[in-house]
């Protein structure tokens, strides 16, 4: 059986439904989660709904992607063949 989840022990407590959506935050979280909810114990502050989706751009330069490399090499070859890389 899939159950709601209660994130308890943190401030504020948070209840999440089976689909991951937030059901309630704070004082109403325990009742919204229900008596059969799975309890996950946390400490500290909760930031319900906040997603850390940041990236570091320098990490993208180090990626090895054959498709990207091939495309970049074709463009560089076409640029060199055009003669535009030559100073007048």
């Amino acid at each position: 059986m899939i159950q709601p989840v209660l994130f308890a022990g943190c401030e504020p407590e948070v209840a999440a439904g089976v689909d991951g959506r937030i059901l309630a935050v704070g004082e109403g979280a325990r009742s919204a989660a229900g008596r059969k909810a799975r309890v996950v114990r946390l400490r500290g502050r909760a930031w319900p709904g906040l997603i850390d989706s940041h990236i570091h751009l320098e990490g993208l330069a180090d990626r090895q992607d054959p498709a990207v490399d091939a495309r970049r090499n074709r463009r560089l070859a076409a640029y060199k063949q055009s003669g535009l890389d030559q100073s007048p």
Side-chain angles (χ1 to χ4, degrees):
M1 176 180 173
I2 301 175
Q3 303 166 315
V5 177
L6 174 66
F7 297 96
C10 55
E11 179 61 37
E13 291 185 336
V14 179
V18 295
D19 59 357
R21 293 185 183 174
I22 296 171
L23 299 174
V25 176
E27 292 182 20
R30 287 180 183 259
S31 61
R35 296 168 55 97
K36 295 188 178 191
R38 183 170 60 99
V39 178
V40 176
R41 298 273 176 209
L42 302 175
R43 290 183 295 169
R45 287 273 313 142
W47 294 77
L50 183 65
I51 299 171
D52 181 8
S53 61
H54 81 280
I55 63 168
H56 295 267
L57 295 178
E58 68 271 8
L60 294 176
D62 296 335
R63 283 189 8 198
Q64 299 294 324
D65 186 341
V68 171
D69 292 341
R71 205 167 35 243
R72 181 177 46 232
N73 290 340
R74 283 194 304 271
R75 288 180 182 157
L76 183 57
Y79 178 71
K80 287 183 176 182
Q81 286 179 350
S82 71
L84 294 174
D85 66 330
Q86 304 296 320
S87 298

